[in-house]
mmCIF file with all atom_site columns, all heavy atoms in Angstrom:
data_model
loop_
_atom_site.group_PDB
_atom_site.id
_atom_site.type_symbol
_atom_site.label_atom_id
_atom_site.label_alt_id
_atom_site.label_comp_id
_atom_site.label_asym_id
_atom_site.label_entity_id
_atom_site.label_seq_id
_atom_site.pdbx_PDB_ins_code
_atom_site.Cartn_x
_atom_site.Cartn_y
_atom_site.Cartn_z
_atom_site.occupancy
_atom_site.B_iso_or_equiv
_atom_site.pdbx_formal_charge
_atom_site.auth_seq_id
_atom_site.auth_comp_id
_atom_site.auth_asym_id
_atom_site.auth_atom_id
_atom_site.pdbx_PDB_model_num
ATOM 1  N N   . ILE A 1 554 ? 44.913 -107.173 -99.486  1.00 82.00 ? 2019 ILE A N   1
ATOM 2  C CA  . ILE A 1 554 ? 44.090 -108.455 -99.685  1.00 82.00 ? 2019 ILE A CA  1
ATOM 3  C C   . ILE A 1 554 ? 43.930 -109.281 -98.419  1.00 82.00 ? 2019 ILE A C   1
ATOM 4  O O   . ILE A 1 554 ? 42.861 -109.621 -98.017  1.00 82.00 ? 2019 ILE A O   1
ATOM 5  C CB  . ILE A 1 554 ? 44.725 -109.270 -100.759 1.00 82.00 ? 2019 ILE A CB  1
ATOM 6  C CG1 . ILE A 1 554 ? 44.724 -108.534 -102.181 1.00 82.00 ? 2019 ILE A CG1 1
ATOM 7  C CG2 . ILE A 1 554 ? 43.967 -110.592 -101.014 1.00 82.00 ? 2019 ILE A CG2 1
ATOM 8  C CD1 . ILE A 1 554 ? 45.352 -109.352 -103.339 1.00 82.00 ? 2019 ILE A CD1 1
ATOM 9  N N   . TRP A 1 555 ? 45.039 -109.429 -97.823  1.00 88.00 ? 2020 TRP A N   1
ATOM 10 C CA  . TRP A 1 555 ? 45.012 -110.260 -96.560  1.00 88.00 ? 2020 TRP A CA  1
ATOM 11 C C   . TRP A 1 555 ? 44.268 -109.581 -95.553  1.00 88.00 ? 2020 TRP A C   1
ATOM 12 O O   . TRP A 1 555 ? 43.543 -110.267 -94.655  1.00 88.00 ? 2020 TRP A O   1
ATOM 13 C CB  . TRP A 1 555 ? 46.417 -110.666 -96.206  1.00 88.00 ? 2020 TRP A CB  1
ATOM 14 C CG  . TRP A 1 555 ? 47.052 -111.448 -97.234  1.00 88.00 ? 2020 TRP A CG  1
ATOM 15 C CD1 . TRP A 1 555 ? 48.112 -111.226 -98.109  1.00 88.00 ? 2020 TRP A CD1 1
ATOM 16 C CD2 . TRP A 1 555 ? 46.882 -112.960 -97.490  1.00 88.00 ? 2020 TRP A CD2 1
ATOM 17 N NE1 . TRP A 1 555 ? 48.286 -112.228 -99.007  1.00 88.00 ? 2020 TRP A NE1 1
ATOM 18 C CE2 . TRP A 1 555 ? 47.632 -113.350 -98.552  1.00 88.00 ? 2020 TRP A CE2 1
ATOM 19 C CE3 . TRP A 1 555 ? 45.897 -113.883 -96.915  1.00 88.00 ? 2020 TRP A CE3 1
ATOM 20 C CZ2 . TRP A 1 555 ? 47.562 -114.543 -99.071  1.00 88.00 ? 2020 TRP A CZ2 1
ATOM 21 C CZ3 . TRP A 1 555 ? 45.849 -115.041 -97.382  1.00 88.00 ? 2020 TRP A CZ3 1
ATOM 22 C CH2 . TRP A 1 555 ? 46.658 -115.450 -98.638  1.00 88.00 ? 2020 TRP A CH2 1
ATOM 23 N N   . TYR A 1 556 ? 44.359 -108.281 -95.306  1.00 89.00 ? 2021 TYR A N   1
ATOM 24 C CA  . TYR A 1 556 ? 43.598 -107.597 -94.425  1.00 89.00 ? 2021 TYR A CA  1
ATOM 25 C C   . TYR A 1 556 ? 42.180 -107.656 -94.725  1.00 89.00 ? 2021 TYR A C   1
ATOM 26 O O   . TYR A 1 556 ? 41.336 -107.931 -93.878  1.00 89.00 ? 2021 TYR A O   1
ATOM 27 C CB  . TYR A 1 556 ? 44.011 -106.051 -94.355  1.00 89.00 ? 2021 TYR A CB  1
ATOM 28 C CG  . TYR A 1 556 ? 43.146 -105.283 -93.407  1.00 89.00 ? 2021 TYR A CG  1
ATOM 29 C CD1 . TYR A 1 556 ? 43.284 -105.248 -92.222  1.00 89.00 ? 2021 TYR A CD1 1
ATOM 30 C CD2 . TYR A 1 556 ? 42.037 -104.504 -93.984  1.00 89.00 ? 2021 TYR A CD2 1
ATOM 31 C CE1 . TYR A 1 556 ? 42.478 -104.473 -91.316  1.00 89.00 ? 2021 TYR A CE1 1
ATOM 32 C CE2 . TYR A 1 556 ? 41.257 -103.813 -93.159  1.00 89.00 ? 2021 TYR A CE2 1
ATOM 33 C CZ  . TYR A 1 556 ? 41.426 -103.921 -91.934  1.00 89.00 ? 2021 TYR A CZ  1
ATOM 34 O OH  . TYR A 1 556 ? 40.613 -103.142 -91.004  1.00 89.00 ? 2021 TYR A OH  1
ATOM 35 N N   . SER A 1 557 ? 41.752 -107.610 -95.992  1.00 86.00 ? 2022 SER A N   1
ATOM 36 C CA  . SER A 1 557 ? 40.347 -107.737 -96.396  1.00 86.00 ? 2022 SER A CA  1
ATOM 37 C C   . SER A 1 557 ? 39.819 -109.242 -95.991  1.00 86.00 ? 2022 SER A C   1
ATOM 38 O O   . SER A 1 557 ? 38.723 -109.301 -95.464  1.00 86.00 ? 2022 SER A O   1
ATOM 39 C CB  . SER A 1 557 ? 40.198 -107.549 -97.881  1.00 86.00 ? 2022 SER A CB  1
ATOM 40 O OG  . SER A 1 557 ? 40.493 -106.230 -98.164  1.00 86.00 ? 2022 SER A OG  1
ATOM 41 N N   . ILE A 1 558 ? 40.671 -110.107 -96.223  1.00 87.00 ? 2023 ILE A N   1
ATOM 42 C CA  . ILE A 1 558 ? 40.176 -111.473 -95.963  1.00 87.00 ? 2023 ILE A CA  1
ATOM 43 C C   . ILE A 1 558 ? 39.924 -111.682 -94.435  1.00 87.00 ? 2023 ILE A C   1
ATOM 44 O O   . ILE A 1 558 ? 38.907 -112.170 -93.928  1.00 87.00 ? 2023 ILE A O   1
ATOM 45 C CB  . ILE A 1 558 ? 41.212 -112.582 -96.403  1.00 87.00 ? 2023 ILE A CB  1
ATOM 46 C CG1 . ILE A 1 558 ? 41.256 -112.612 -97.930  1.00 87.00 ? 2023 ILE A CG1 1
ATOM 47 C CG2 . ILE A 1 558 ? 40.807 -114.024 -95.944  1.00 87.00 ? 2023 ILE A CG2 1
ATOM 48 C CD1 . ILE A 1 558 ? 42.209 -113.426 -98.544  1.00 87.00 ? 2023 ILE A CD1 1
ATOM 49 N N   . PHE A 1 559 ? 40.925 -111.279 -93.644  1.00 91.00 ? 2024 PHE A N   1
ATOM 50 C CA  . PHE A 1 559 ? 40.937 -111.630 -92.203  1.00 91.00 ? 2024 PHE A CA  1
ATOM 51 C C   . PHE A 1 559 ? 39.906 -110.632 -91.588  1.00 91.00 ? 2024 PHE A C   1
ATOM 52 O O   . PHE A 1 559 ? 39.195 -110.962 -90.660  1.00 91.00 ? 2024 PHE A O   1
ATOM 53 C CB  . PHE A 1 559 ? 42.235 -111.393 -91.607  1.00 91.00 ? 2024 PHE A CB  1
ATOM 54 C CG  . PHE A 1 559 ? 43.178 -112.586 -91.599  1.00 91.00 ? 2024 PHE A CG  1
ATOM 55 C CD1 . PHE A 1 559 ? 43.846 -112.785 -92.715  1.00 91.00 ? 2024 PHE A CD1 1
ATOM 56 C CD2 . PHE A 1 559 ? 43.118 -113.561 -90.644  1.00 91.00 ? 2024 PHE A CD2 1
ATOM 57 C CE1 . PHE A 1 559 ? 44.703 -113.898 -92.806  1.00 91.00 ? 2024 PHE A CE1 1
ATOM 58 C CE2 . PHE A 1 559 ? 43.888 -114.700 -90.760  1.00 91.00 ? 2024 PHE A CE2 1
ATOM 59 C CZ  . PHE A 1 559 ? 44.723 -114.946 -91.843  1.00 91.00 ? 2024 PHE A CZ  1
ATOM 60 N N   . SER A 1 560 ? 39.750 -109.303 -92.000  1.00 91.00 ? 2025 SER A N   1
ATOM 61 C CA  . SER A 1 560 ? 38.753 -108.384 -91.523  1.00 91.00 ? 2025 SER A CA  1
ATOM 62 C C   . SER A 1 560 ? 37.480 -108.951 -91.761  1.00 91.00 ? 2025 SER A C   1
ATOM 63 O O   . SER A 1 560 ? 36.461 -108.656 -90.960  1.00 91.00 ? 2025 SER A O   1
ATOM 64 C CB  . SER A 1 560 ? 39.045 -107.116 -91.933  1.00 91.00 ? 2025 SER A CB  1
ATOM 65 O OG  . SER A 1 560 ? 38.752 -106.990 -93.264  1.00 91.00 ? 2025 SER A OG  1
ATOM 66 N N   . SER A 1 561 ? 37.257 -109.527 -92.919  1.00 90.00 ? 2026 SER A N   1
ATOM 67 C CA  . SER A 1 561 ? 35.840 -110.146 -93.287  1.00 90.00 ? 2026 SER A CA  1
ATOM 68 C C   . SER A 1 561 ? 35.494 -111.211 -92.191  1.00 90.00 ? 2026 SER A C   1
ATOM 69 O O   . SER A 1 561 ? 34.379 -111.162 -91.638  1.00 90.00 ? 2026 SER A O   1
ATOM 70 C CB  . SER A 1 561 ? 35.881 -110.761 -94.620  1.00 90.00 ? 2026 SER A CB  1
ATOM 71 O OG  . SER A 1 561 ? 36.148 -109.676 -95.571  1.00 90.00 ? 2026 SER A OG  1
ATOM 72 N N   . PHE A 1 562 ? 36.355 -112.103 -92.002  1.00 91.00 ? 2027 PHE A N   1
ATOM 73 C CA  . PHE A 1 562 ? 35.936 -113.164 -91.054  1.00 91.00 ? 2027 PHE A CA  1
ATOM 74 C C   . PHE A 1 562 ? 35.839 -112.795 -89.649  1.00 91.00 ? 2027 PHE A C   1
ATOM 75 O O   . PHE A 1 562 ? 34.909 -113.004 -88.927  1.00 91.00 ? 2027 PHE A O   1
ATOM 76 C CB  . PHE A 1 562 ? 36.876 -114.274 -91.215  1.00 91.00 ? 2027 PHE A CB  1
ATOM 77 C CG  . PHE A 1 562 ? 36.797 -115.015 -92.470  1.00 91.00 ? 2027 PHE A CG  1
ATOM 78 C CD1 . PHE A 1 562 ? 37.754 -114.916 -93.488  1.00 91.00 ? 2027 PHE A CD1 1
ATOM 79 C CD2 . PHE A 1 562 ? 35.662 -115.751 -92.921  1.00 91.00 ? 2027 PHE A CD2 1
ATOM 80 C CE1 . PHE A 1 562 ? 37.671 -115.649 -94.797  1.00 91.00 ? 2027 PHE A CE1 1
ATOM 81 C CE2 . PHE A 1 562 ? 35.398 -116.335 -94.057  1.00 91.00 ? 2027 PHE A CE2 1
ATOM 82 C CZ  . PHE A 1 562 ? 36.466 -116.338 -95.082  1.00 91.00 ? 2027 PHE A CZ  1
ATOM 83 N N   . VAL A 1 563 ? 36.786 -111.847 -89.216  1.00 93.00 ? 2028 VAL A N   1
ATOM 84 C CA  . VAL A 1 563 ? 36.787 -111.305 -87.800  1.00 93.00 ? 2028 VAL A CA  1
ATOM 85 C C   . VAL A 1 563 ? 35.551 -110.542 -87.696  1.00 93.00 ? 2028 VAL A C   1
ATOM 86 O O   . VAL A 1 563 ? 34.869 -110.602 -86.673  1.00 93.00 ? 2028 VAL A O   1
ATOM 87 C CB  . VAL A 1 563 ? 38.092 -110.608 -87.528  1.00 93.00 ? 2028 VAL A CB  1
ATOM 88 C CG1 . VAL A 1 563 ? 37.888 -109.797 -86.262  1.00 93.00 ? 2028 VAL A CG1 1
ATOM 89 C CG2 . VAL A 1 563 ? 39.305 -111.438 -87.538  1.00 93.00 ? 2028 VAL A CG2 1
ATOM 90 N N   . GLY A 1 564 ? 35.176 -109.623 -88.690  1.00 92.00 ? 2029 GLY A N   1
ATOM 91 C CA  . GLY A 1 564 ? 33.996 -108.861 -88.559  1.00 92.00 ? 2029 GLY A CA  1
ATOM 92 C C   . GLY A 1 564 ? 32.815 -109.643 -88.524  1.00 92.00 ? 2029 GLY A C   1
ATOM 93 O O   . GLY A 1 564 ? 31.869 -109.282 -87.764  1.00 92.00 ? 2029 GLY A O   1
ATOM 94 N N   . ALA A 1 565 ? 32.741 -110.757 -89.250  1.00 91.00 ? 2030 ALA A N   1
ATOM 95 C CA  . ALA A 1 565 ? 31.565 -111.495 -89.295  1.00 91.00 ? 2030 ALA A CA  1
ATOM 96 C C   . ALA A 1 565 ? 31.364 -112.310 -87.848  1.00 91.00 ? 2030 ALA A C   1
ATOM 97 O O   . ALA A 1 565 ? 30.250 -112.341 -87.351  1.00 91.00 ? 2030 ALA A O   1
ATOM 98 C CB  . ALA A 1 565 ? 31.746 -112.694 -90.331  1.00 91.00 ? 2030 ALA A CB  1
#
Side-chain angles (χ1 to χ4, degrees):
I2019 294 176
W2020 296 104
Y2021 174 79
S2022 295
I2023 294 172
F2024 278 87
S2025 67
S2026 298
F2027 291 113
V2028 171

